[in-house]
């Protein structure tokens, strides 16, 4: 009989640990004393070694396995952190926008990937129901969510900017033939 498999962390547990790690590192950086420098150096060295281990895993993986590893949320973030992600930043950012699209559509709007210009992601936000996607608290929430998702997927990008929608965020006007407007109906 073999040893039982080690318990795996659920995504919320991983997120909680990452948040706690951020708190500890911020506190450590702000704490004066003789232990601060060696402790932050130890964390940096450990991160480098784990990055090298990930690079070696990718060296051994075929393209299909590398893609599966990159699709895992935690592994994908680690691959980005160590500049090892097999997909270019623009493709990761576009995919993040596509993943948000159903939620934005549920709110009556839409979001489309418009590309990268000078390291800045460009997205087209449109709104339905008469409210602008880029204005008002609901629009600001959508813009903030898109910005956060894109920069999490591709932190190499410097910013996310909405680009104007050629239709002005509204549906195109209905076509009404001129003859219909000039004809008078019989009394």
């Amino acid at each position: 009989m073999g040893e039982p498999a080690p318990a795996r962390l659920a995504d919320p547990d991983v997120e909680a640990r990452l948040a706690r790690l951020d708190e500890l590192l911020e506190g450590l950086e702000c704490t004066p004393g003789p232990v601060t420098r060696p402790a932050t150096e130890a964390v940096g060295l450990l991160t480098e070694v784990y990055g090298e281990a990930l690079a070696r895993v990718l060296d051994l993986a075929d393209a299909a396995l590398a893609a599966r590893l990159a699709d895992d949320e935690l592994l994908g973030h680690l691959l980005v952190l160590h500049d090892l992600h097999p997909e270019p930043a623009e493709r990761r950012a576009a995919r993040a926008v596509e993943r948000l699209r159903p939620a934005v559509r549920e709110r009556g709007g839409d979001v489309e990937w418009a590309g990268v210009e000078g390291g800045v992601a460009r997205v087209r936000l449109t709104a339905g129901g008469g409210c602008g996607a880029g204005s008002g608290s609901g629009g600001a929430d959508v813009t903030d969510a898109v910005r956060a998702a894109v920069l999490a997927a591709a932190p190499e990008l410097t910013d996310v900017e909405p680009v104007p929608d050629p239709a002005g965020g509204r549906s195109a006007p209905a076509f009404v033939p001129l003859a219909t407007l000039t004809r008078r109906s019989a009394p």
Side-chain angles (χ1 to χ4, degrees):
M1 292 205 157
E3 297 272 326
R8 302 293 302 271
L9 294 175
D11 285 345
D13 295 329
V14 171
E15 290 172 19
R17 282 168 174 76
L18 289 173
R20 178 67 179 139
L21 180 60
D22 282 343
E23 289 172 13
L24 291 171
L25 289 174
E26 284 178 21
L28 188 59
E29 289 172 356
C30 296
T31 305
V35 176
T36 302
R37 188 178 197 156
T40 54
E41 184 180 351
V43 170
L45 291 171
L46 186 60
T47 302
E48 284 181 41
V49 169
Y50 283 158
E52 177 60 23
L54 272 173
R56 290 179 185 195
V57 166
L58 285 179
D59 287 347
L60 297 172
D62 62 18
L65 178 57
R68 286 181 44 218
L69 294 171
D71 281 343
D72 179 88
E73 186 174 0
L74 177 58
L75 290 173
H77 285 298
L78 288 174
L79 293 171
V80 166
L81 173 71
H82 294 286
D83 198 24
L84 298 170
H85 205 288
E87 282 186 318
E90 184 168 358
R91 191 173 314 149
R92 294 191 316 267
R95 206 164 20 129
V97 168
E98 284 306 310
R99 273 191 238 119
L100 277 178
R101 200 168 197 190
V104 174
R105 283 181 169 172
E106 228 174 68
R107 296 181 88 174
D110 199 4
V111 60
E112 287 180 37
W113 178 248
V116 172
E117 231 176 83
V120 176
R122 314 268 295 175
V123 294
R124 185 170 292 109
L125 294 167
T126 56
C131 299
S135 62
S137 65
D141 291 346
V142 170
T143 302
D144 291 345
V146 170
R147 178 174 281 112
V150 167
L151 293 178
E156 309 92 319
L157 300 176
T158 57
D159 199 7
V160 179
E161 291 180 356
V163 294
D165 177 29
R170 293 172 190 77
S171 303
F175 176 75
V176 179
L178 182 59
T180 307
L181 297 173
T182 57
R183 225 181 293 151
R184 293 187 181 217
S185 54

